[in-house]
Amino acid sequence: MRHQPAPISPAAPAPALFTWEFATDPYPVYAWLREHAPVHRTALPSGVEAWLVTRYVDARQALADARLSKNPAHHAEPAHAKGKTGIPGERKAELMTHLLNIDPPDHTRLRRLVSKAFTPRRVAEFAPRVQELTDRLIDGFAAKGEADLIHDFAFPLPIYAICDLLGVPREDQDDFRDWAGMMIRHAGGPRGGVGRSVKKMRGYLADLIHRKRADPGDDLISGLIRAGDHGEHLTENEAAAMAFIILFAGFETTVNLIGNGMFALLRHPEQRALLQRSLRAGETELLATGVEELLRYDGPVELATWRYATEPLTLGGQLIAAGDPVLVVLAAADRDPERFTDPDTLDLSRRDNQHLGYGHGIHYCLGAPLARVEGQTALATLLTRLPDVRLAGDPGDLRWRGGLIMRGLRTLPVQFTPLSEPRGGLKISDGPSRL
């Protein structure tokens, strides 16, 4: 395996980053960067300058390097870049003390508390609810013969699932759906809309924490409160920030896993047919390896969240100064031919697949087990109940959402043979999807 970067040719400038063409298909640009500038300093659309890490070996090292802090206090930011990293609005809403912004020992303490919600047993117990939500959402459009799988399915499914996990009452869940929709619009929504939604969510969470303290239940927020009341030193701000980041990080990754995954399957009919045959036979092995391959091939998280050098260090042959931001490009690392055979080929049966789609090291995604259950359930149910589902229109006409960290489609219109009989009962909500 090659570890040293190839020399950068001054005659070959880096291809354009962060254009609409790049958003549609970033992988050729990432291939160029891996070959010519594997650790590349660039100006982001926000004006912040950061290092992009694109090779698998460097990415894996960076994700586990304790010298790369998650705490934004380590960012040596110029005046024009102040507050432009992280989630918009979280600083003003006092929602900074969550797992994506802190280091050990605080990270160790908070992760231990929250990890109780994502044990294999608890995820297994939650799986029937995910199936129920999946079937009910499909029932909402099955008779029409057409749907937008983002608006009608991939977006609401994880919202309702995580609301249930957190303990948000059913009558309040549509508010969460609206706020979440605004948060993932990024540049596509009204100016300041993300910050306002974060502020509304912060106010709601503060009120919900007070209610749960008086009347706790068997949910994650009640569990966080109980831990704080029994000497774990969890402040109300920490509880609110943790609930916020579980929702924010948990729902958009699953939206994109389902959306990107279905899009890939619809564009690779031979792989889709293999999976459908396996599902009809009652097998689960190809579904499990298939979801891992979809995570690698065109995963929901394009860049890992922000890291900041706490001291000068060398990564991929480049000297990174203390205070510099570092962004690990998971999408590039997971297509690295030095690590994966035929990386640009979708192979649902791929076995040697230690992808970085959910990160690596102490910041490995806590909600990955639940996301995998949601992804497997959603894809298997769609392909089983709508066996002839197909794209409605030219795939080249689809647009990808703006934003730095996540990779996901704005819409995914499909057609299929209408179903006359619902399977899962009533729709969850009669309100429109306001994504």
PDB file of all heavy atoms in Angstrom, residues 386-398:
ATOM      1  N   LEU A 386     -42.606  -2.724  -3.656  1.00  0.00           N
ATOM      2  CA  LEU A 386     -42.670  -2.024  -4.940  1.00  0.00           C
ATOM      3  C   LEU A 386     -41.631  -2.630  -5.872  1.00  0.00           C
ATOM      4  O   LEU A 386     -40.635  -2.007  -6.218  1.00  0.00           O
ATOM      5  CB  LEU A 386     -42.396  -0.527  -4.748  1.00  0.00           C
ATOM      6  CG  LEU A 386     -43.180   0.193  -3.635  1.00  0.00           C
ATOM      7  CD1 LEU A 386     -42.706   1.637  -3.492  1.00  0.00           C
ATOM      8  CD2 LEU A 386     -44.683   0.129  -3.891  1.00  0.00           C
ATOM      9  N   PRO A 387     -41.825  -3.884  -6.292  1.00  0.00           N
ATOM     10  CA  PRO A 387     -40.757  -4.615  -6.986  1.00  0.00           C
ATOM     11  C   PRO A 387     -40.347  -3.999  -8.317  1.00  0.00           C
ATOM     12  O   PRO A 387     -39.213  -4.193  -8.757  1.00  0.00           O
ATOM     13  CB  PRO A 387     -41.354  -6.014  -7.181  1.00  0.00           C
ATOM     14  CG  PRO A 387     -42.832  -5.824  -7.080  1.00  0.00           C
ATOM     15  CD  PRO A 387     -43.037  -4.710  -6.109  1.00  0.00           C
ATOM     16  N   ASP A 388     -41.249  -3.247  -8.976  1.00  0.00           N
ATOM     17  CA  ASP A 388     -40.883  -2.658 -10.266  1.00  0.00           C
ATOM     18  C   ASP A 388     -40.603  -1.159 -10.149  1.00  0.00           C
ATOM     19  O   ASP A 388     -40.697  -0.431 -11.141  1.00  0.00           O
ATOM     20  CB  ASP A 388     -41.978  -2.911 -11.302  1.00  0.00           C
ATOM     21  CG  ASP A 388     -43.297  -2.230 -10.944  1.00  0.00           C
ATOM     22  OD1 ASP A 388     -43.457  -1.798  -9.774  1.00  0.00           O
ATOM     23  OD2 ASP A 388     -44.174  -2.133 -11.831  1.00  0.00           O
ATOM     24  N   VAL A 389     -40.264  -0.694  -8.969  1.00  0.00           N
ATOM     25  CA  VAL A 389     -39.982   0.732  -8.781  1.00  0.00           C
ATOM     26  C   VAL A 389     -38.865   1.167  -9.720  1.00  0.00           C
ATOM     27  O   VAL A 389     -37.895   0.438  -9.944  1.00  0.00           O
ATOM     28  CB  VAL A 389     -39.629   1.027  -7.308  1.00  0.00           C
ATOM     29  CG1 VAL A 389     -38.359   0.305  -6.871  1.00  0.00           C
ATOM     30  CG2 VAL A 389     -39.503   2.522  -7.063  1.00  0.00           C
ATOM     31  N   ARG A 390     -39.033   2.351 -10.305  1.00  0.00           N
ATOM     32  CA  ARG A 390     -38.074   2.845 -11.296  1.00  0.00           C
ATOM     33  C   ARG A 390     -38.011   4.364 -11.216  1.00  0.00           C
ATOM     34  O   ARG A 390     -38.943   5.020 -10.745  1.00  0.00           O
ATOM     35  CB  ARG A 390     -38.489   2.412 -12.702  1.00  0.00           C
ATOM     36  CG  ARG A 390     -39.895   2.872 -13.072  1.00  0.00           C
ATOM     37  CD  ARG A 390     -40.459   2.083 -14.245  1.00  0.00           C
ATOM     38  NE  ARG A 390     -41.837   2.509 -14.554  1.00  0.00           N
ATOM     39  CZ  ARG A 390     -42.922   2.018 -13.939  1.00  0.00           C
ATOM     40  NH1 ARG A 390     -42.793   1.099 -12.983  1.00  0.00           N
ATOM     41  NH2 ARG A 390     -44.129   2.434 -14.283  1.00  0.00           N
ATOM     42  N   LEU A 391     -36.917   4.913 -11.692  1.00  0.00           N
ATOM     43  CA  LEU A 391     -36.766   6.364 -11.722  1.00  0.00           C
ATOM     44  C   LEU A 391     -37.792   6.986 -12.657  1.00  0.00           C
ATOM     45  O   LEU A 391     -38.074   6.453 -13.739  1.00  0.00           O
ATOM     46  CB  LEU A 391     -35.367   6.750 -12.192  1.00  0.00           C
ATOM     47  CG  LEU A 391     -34.223   6.597 -11.194  1.00  0.00           C
ATOM     48  CD1 LEU A 391     -32.893   6.813 -11.909  1.00  0.00           C
ATOM     49  CD2 LEU A 391     -34.374   7.576 -10.046  1.00  0.00           C
ATOM     50  N   ALA A 392     -38.348   8.102 -12.250  1.00  0.00           N
ATOM     51  CA  ALA A 392     -39.273   8.857 -13.086  1.00  0.00           C
ATOM     52  C   ALA A 392     -38.515  10.053 -13.649  1.00  0.00           C
ATOM     53  O   ALA A 392     -38.432  11.100 -13.014  1.00  0.00           O
ATOM     54  CB  ALA A 392     -40.478   9.305 -12.277  1.00  0.00           C
ATOM     55  N   GLY A 393     -37.926   9.880 -14.804  1.00  0.00           N
ATOM     56  CA  GLY A 393     -37.167  10.971 -15.406  1.00  0.00           C
ATOM     57  C   GLY A 393     -35.705  10.635 -15.553  1.00  0.00           C
ATOM     58  O   GLY A 393     -35.244   9.531 -15.228  1.00  0.00           O
ATOM     59  N   ASP A 394     -34.965  11.589 -16.057  1.00  0.00           N
ATOM     60  CA  ASP A 394     -33.541  11.439 -16.323  1.00  0.00           C
ATOM     61  C   ASP A 394     -32.756  11.620 -15.025  1.00  0.00           C
ATOM     62  O   ASP A 394     -32.907  12.641 -14.349  1.00  0.00           O
ATOM     63  CB  ASP A 394     -33.116  12.489 -17.343  1.00  0.00           C
ATOM     64  CG  ASP A 394     -31.683  12.301 -17.827  1.00  0.00           C
ATOM     65  OD1 ASP A 394     -30.887  11.680 -17.095  1.00  0.00           O
ATOM     66  OD2 ASP A 394     -31.374  12.784 -18.920  1.00  0.00           O
ATOM     67  N   PRO A 395     -31.903  10.649 -14.667  1.00  0.00           N
ATOM     68  CA  PRO A 395     -31.120  10.814 -13.434  1.00  0.00           C
ATOM     69  C   PRO A 395     -30.236  12.057 -13.460  1.00  0.00           C
ATOM     70  O   PRO A 395     -29.917  12.617 -12.411  1.00  0.00           O
ATOM     71  CB  PRO A 395     -30.281   9.538 -13.366  1.00  0.00           C
ATOM     72  CG  PRO A 395     -30.326   8.941 -14.725  1.00  0.00           C
ATOM     73  CD  PRO A 395     -31.638   9.356 -15.310  1.00  0.00           C
ATOM     74  N   GLY A 396     -29.848  12.513 -14.640  1.00  0.00           N
ATOM     75  CA  GLY A 396     -29.021  13.708 -14.741  1.00  0.00           C
ATOM     76  C   GLY A 396     -29.749  14.982 -14.348  1.00  0.00           C
ATOM     77  O   GLY A 396     -29.117  16.016 -14.116  1.00  0.00           O
ATOM     78  N   ASP A 397     -31.086  14.918 -14.271  1.00  0.00           N
ATOM     79  CA  ASP A 397     -31.868  16.089 -13.879  1.00  0.00           C
ATOM     80  C   ASP A 397     -31.989  16.242 -12.368  1.00  0.00           C
ATOM     81  O   ASP A 397     -32.476  17.273 -11.884  1.00  0.00           O
ATOM     82  CB  ASP A 397     -33.279  16.018 -14.484  1.00  0.00           C
ATOM     83  CG  ASP A 397     -33.264  16.161 -16.004  1.00  0.00           C
ATOM     84  OD1 ASP A 397     -32.301  16.749 -16.527  1.00  0.00           O
ATOM     85  OD2 ASP A 397     -34.213  15.668 -16.649  1.00  0.00           O
ATOM     86  N   LEU A 398     -31.595  15.223 -11.616  1.00  0.00           N
ATOM     87  CA  LEU A 398     -31.705  15.301 -10.165  1.00  0.00           C
ATOM     88  C   LEU A 398     -30.670  16.265  -9.602  1.00  0.00           C
ATOM     89  O   LEU A 398     -29.582  16.419 -10.157  1.00  0.00           O
ATOM     90  CB  LEU A 398     -31.533  13.911  -9.545  1.00  0.00           C
ATOM     91  CG  LEU A 398     -32.593  12.872  -9.923  1.00  0.00           C
ATOM     92  CD1 LEU A 398     -32.283  11.531  -9.258  1.00  0.00           C
ATOM     93  CD2 LEU A 398     -33.988  13.344  -9.521  1.00  0.00           C
TER      94      LEU A 398
END
